[in-house]
């Protein structure tokens, strides 16, 4: 089991550029989550998918953020245009689904810096 | 809405002593799950332990145990015989077990083990 795989690990971009973060969940997990971690706001959910369908996107900050899950093994989080306040660590996590007492498995995160 | 409160921003504990990290929660859900995660300085999120709201016994995983007091809405993490490698941020989180799968996190406690 390779765990949840995120890429890139680090991303430095200029304000106004498009940023795409990628995530491969654990095979067999049917729920996928995107979290953002900052010192000011802590860990906050951006969006989550169940069986590739977005279920809760209430945490997506604004129209600059979009997320897709075209199949069970891949998801993207896109920021366009990026702003310095988007600088954070973005985590992807997956789990087997509702009622499971297994922990949510997190990826290593993508540290995004927008300058 | 769910809310997790961790009132200890930081703790210092002597190596080999037991430590209790506090967590209180608020929810109107009847069935819910409580989780603890460890985040070392390297940044990854490591699942430690899970407690279901209907579980009659407190959860245990090796040196970790969860002191679950449902009436008081508390879910404290107890680490026995602390080790230097236990130094990290610790997050308490909860989830509705029959509805929205998102994990709601507390602000965390930074634990430092002193040799």
């Amino acid at each position: 089991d390779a765990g949840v795989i995120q890429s890139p690990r680090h991303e430095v971009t200029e304000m106004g550029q498009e940023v795409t973060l990628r995530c491969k969940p654990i095979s067999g997990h049917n729920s996928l989550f995107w979290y953002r971690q900052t010192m000011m706001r802590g860990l906050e959910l951006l969006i989550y998918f169940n069986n590739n369908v977005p279920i809760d996107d209430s945490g997506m900050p604004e129209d600059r953020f979009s997320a897709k899950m075209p199949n069970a093994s891949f998801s993207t989080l896109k920021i366009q245009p990026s702003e310095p306040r988007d600088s954070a660590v973005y985590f992807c996590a997956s789990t087997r689904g509702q009622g499971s007492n297994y922990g949510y498995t997190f990826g290593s995160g993508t540290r995004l810096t927008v300058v | 809405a769910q809310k997790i409160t961790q009132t200890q921003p930081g703790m210092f504990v002597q190596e080999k002593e037991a430590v209790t990290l506090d967590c209180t929660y608020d929810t109107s859900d009847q069935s819910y799950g409580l989780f603890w995660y460890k985040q070392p300085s390297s940044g990854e999120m490591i699942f430690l332990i899970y407690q279901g709201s209907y579980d009659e016994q407190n959860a245990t995983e090796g040196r970790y145990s969860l002191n679950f007091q449902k009436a008081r809405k508390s879910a404290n993490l107890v680490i026995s015989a602390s080790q230097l490698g236990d130094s990290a941020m610790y997050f308490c989180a909860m989830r509705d077990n029959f509805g929205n799968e998102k994990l709601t996190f507390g602000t965390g406690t930074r634990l430092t083990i002193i040799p």
Side-chain angles (χ1 to χ4, degrees), chain A:
Chain A
D1 188 345
V4 176
I5 300 173
Q6 289 187 247
S7 63
R9 289 295 306 274
H10 303 273
E11 177 81 35
V12 180
T13 191
E14 292 186 346
M15 182 173 62
Q17 296 297 307
E18 177 179 296
V19 176
T20 299
L21 311 182
R22 297 172 176 81
C23 175
K24 176 180 170 55
I26 292 175
S27 177
H29 283 192
N30 57 7
S31 295
L32 181 142
F33 306 78
W34 283 100
Y35 279 88
R36 178 171 67 178
Q37 186 178 31
T38 61
M39 289 294 292
M40 292 297 295
R41 300 174 67 90
L43 278 155
E44 51 183 344
L45 178 75
L46 299 176
I47 186 171
Y48 93 87
F49 297 84
N50 180 261
N51 292 324
N52 313 336
V53 176
I55 303 300
D56 183 349
D57 65 354
S58 59
M60 294 288 265
E62 51 200 82
D63 292 345
R64 297 186 298 108
F65 284 67
S66 63
K68 294 182 179 180
M69 192 165 186
N71 56 61
S73 59
F74 184 65
S75 177
T76 59
L77 178 69
K78 185 177 294 186
I79 308 172
Q80 165 65 19
S82 58
E83 297 182 3
R85 59 187 168 134
D86 301 330
S87 296
V89 178
Y90 291 80
F91 286 103
C92 176
S94 69
T95 189
R96 296 186 188 185
Q98 196 56 271
S100 170
N101 64 354
Y102 294 96
Y104 293 43
T105 304
F106 281 73
S108 299
T110 295
R111 182 174 295 277
L112 173 65
T113 303
V114 183
V115 298

Side-chain angles (χ1 to χ4, degrees), chain B residues 21-60:
Chain B
L21 304 181
D22 294 341
C23 172
T24 58
Y25 61 91
D26 190 22
T27 182
S28 57
D29 298 323
Q30 295 301 308
S31 178
Y32 50 89
L34 295 154
F35 300 76
W36 277 91
Y37 279 83
K38 173 184 179 180
Q39 187 176 41
S41 57
S42 52
E44 70 266 34
M45 295 288 287
I46 302 168
F47 166 65
L48 297 178
I49 197 166
Y50 168 85
Q51 178 85 42
S53 59
Y54 287 117
D55 293 342
E56 294 186 353
Q57 292 190 335
N58 286 343
T60 60

